[in-house]
Amino acid sequence: MMFPYYLQGDDEVHGEFPFTLKIHHLDSHIPAHVHHFIEYTYAFKGRGTELINGVSKELVPGTLTFLFPHQVHEIKIEPGEELYLYVGAIGLKAFFGGDTFFDLHRLLQGAESDPNTTYRLDDETAAEILTLLEQMHVEIQEGHPWSRVMFVAKLIQVFVLFDRYRQRHLEPSPSQHREVQSMRGMREIISYVYHHFKEEITLETLAKKFNYSVSYISASFKQLAGENYYAVLEQIRIAHACNLLISTNLKITDIAYETGFKSYSTFVRVFQTRMHMSPTAYRKNKGIALDF
């Protein structure tokens, strides 16, 4: 089976203001892909189907979706149908930055623990969020004074409205609480791996640090990320390598070690397997972009 495309995303999401918001008009299939940033989408016209780690959900007006790194996802559009989406992206540095006021990660911690991150909003919440997204799109397109501040302030409003909706409708029953807490613990482990992927992190290392068994962490990675732990770690390293290949002039040998590989030959072999081209070819072609 071919590995899903790695989607680089817009240059802005890796820059000083790591936020984007665009309108996508889809009338054909978007193949399976992953990316190294947080994505949120809001369907406001038309119809489609999104598969996230193999789970299918309908996209209709009022559907809000959060896509976290290494969730494999694709969108299917039936012949004759079309779908209009607001598609926003947040760079990982902004999302995990931990700023006291702009704590985006904290606002979405609940969603990170949900087995399904596609939400059909109630009419009131959907209308409020759509209005905010329309205003955010104007801010980011027209570049008025203080546009960036206004954009982030409205994004926080979107996430607050979403979390209020989630707590009203989706909070677990007491019988589900233990499972949710366990999922949240695994999200903490995944976040740790994101921040320390350059280091030699084994399952045994994680088990000792977070007080879980090796078998539990291994099975949970497969459940949450769709792949085993070492495949996920490889994927994070290759995603970082892709960023460095097209955004820096670092030598490829340096990139190999910078991304946590112990040898250049291993890096090239893994990169070729996952990206279906060599690092040199990837840099020359400026990565792989999906035509949205």
Side-chain angles (χ1 to χ4, degrees):
M1 181 178 67
M2 181 174 289
F3 186 77
Y5 283 108
Y6 167 70
L7 183 62
Q8 163 70 15
D10 298 315
D11 290 342
E12 297 95 320
V13 87
H14 309 291
E16 61 166 332
F17 185 70
F19 301 93
T20 65
L21 181 64
K22 298 184 177 181
I23 295 175
H24 288 176
H25 172 208
L26 307 180
D27 58 9
S28 59
H29 177 224
I30 302 300
H33 60 282
V34 295
H35 42 61
H36 202 47
F37 51 86
I38 310 299
E39 182 175 276
Y40 57 97
T41 69
Y42 180 91
F44 64 91
K45 183 180 179 181
R47 182 180 301 273
T49 302
E50 183 156 42
L51 280 79
I52 303 176
N53 288 346
V55 178
S56 176
K57 293 292 179 180
E58 187 177 27
L59 297 179
V60 295
T63 304
L64 180 67
T65 301
F66 291 99
L67 296 161
F68 298 97
H70 304 294
Q71 283 184 315
V72 179
H73 53 282
E74 61 184 296
I75 296 179
K76 295 183 177 181
I77 308 293
E78 294 296 326
E81 296 280 358
E82 57 184 357
L83 178 67
Y84 289 83
L85 294 163
Y86 278 103
V87 179
I90 307 170
L92 292 184
K93 182 177 180 181
F95 188 69
F96 290 114
D99 187 285
T100 303
F101 184 68
F102 299 134
D103 197 346
L104 302 176
H105 182 218
R106 184 163 174 255
L107 283 170
L108 294 185
Q109 276 183 330
E112 281 190 287
S113 300
D114 290 341
N116 166 39
T117 55
T118 299
Y119 308 87
R120 179 67 176 90
L121 303 176
D122 60 73
D123 291 344
E124 181 180 354
T125 303
E128 288 182 281
I129 286 180
L130 177 58
T131 297
L132 286 166
L133 290 170
E134 292 169 344
Q135 295 170 351
M136 290 162 60
H137 191 253
V138 171
E139 292 291 345
I140 209 164
Q141 292 293 317
E142 298 188 4
H144 296 303
W146 299 99
S147 281
R148 291 182 173 185
V149 173
M150 289 289 286
F151 179 89
V152 175
K154 292 178 186 296
L155 178 62
I156 291 172
Q157 283 184 268
V158 168
F159 288 177
V160 168
L161 286 170
F162 160 72
D163 194 57
R164 288 176 177 175
Y165 160 83
R166 185 184 170 280
Q167 291 190 45
R168 287 197 307 270
H169 298 278
L170 301 174
E171 278 299 286
S173 65
S175 63
Q176 297 171 311
H177 185 71
R178 180 175 298 179
E179 180 181 353
V180 170
Q181 287 298 106
S182 179
M183 292 275 284
R184 187 163 295 155
M186 278 304 302
R187 293 292 185 184
E188 291 176 4
I189 292 176
I190 292 174
S191 177
Y192 177 85
V193 173
Y194 270 107
H195 284 86
H196 298 271
F197 65 87
K198 298 178 186 180
E199 304 169 15
E200 185 176 354
I201 311 173
T202 65
L203 282 170
E204 288 75 17
T205 303
L206 295 174
K208 183 176 180 180
K209 180 172 181 62
F210 291 94
N211 199 30
Y212 288 105
S213 69
V214 168
S215 60
Y216 173 80
I217 294 176
S218 179
S220 297
F221 258 98
K222 181 68 175 178
Q223 178 185 357
L224 287 174
E227 292 193 272
N228 67 52
Y229 165 68
Y230 290 104
V232 172
L233 181 59
E234 269 189 1
Q235 189 173 327
I236 295 171
R237 288 170 172 171
I238 293 300
H240 187 55
C242 289
N243 288 337
L244 294 178
L245 283 166
I246 67 174
S247 64
T248 75
N249 293 319
L250 284 174
K251 295 179 180 179
I252 294 178
T253 51
D254 293 335
I255 290 175
Y257 295 107
E258 173 66 21
T259 51
F261 288 91
K262 291 183 177 180
S263 72
Y264 174 73
S265 60
T266 300
F267 168 67
V268 172
R269 174 178 55 78
V270 172
F271 194 99
Q272 179 74 46
T273 299
R274 288 193 170 268
M275 303 307 298
H276 307 287
M277 65 174 68
S278 69
T280 301
Y282 188 90
R283 171 172 272 174
K284 181 179 180 181
N285 295 326
K286 298 296 183 185
I288 299 173
L290 296 181
D291 183 8
F292 279 12

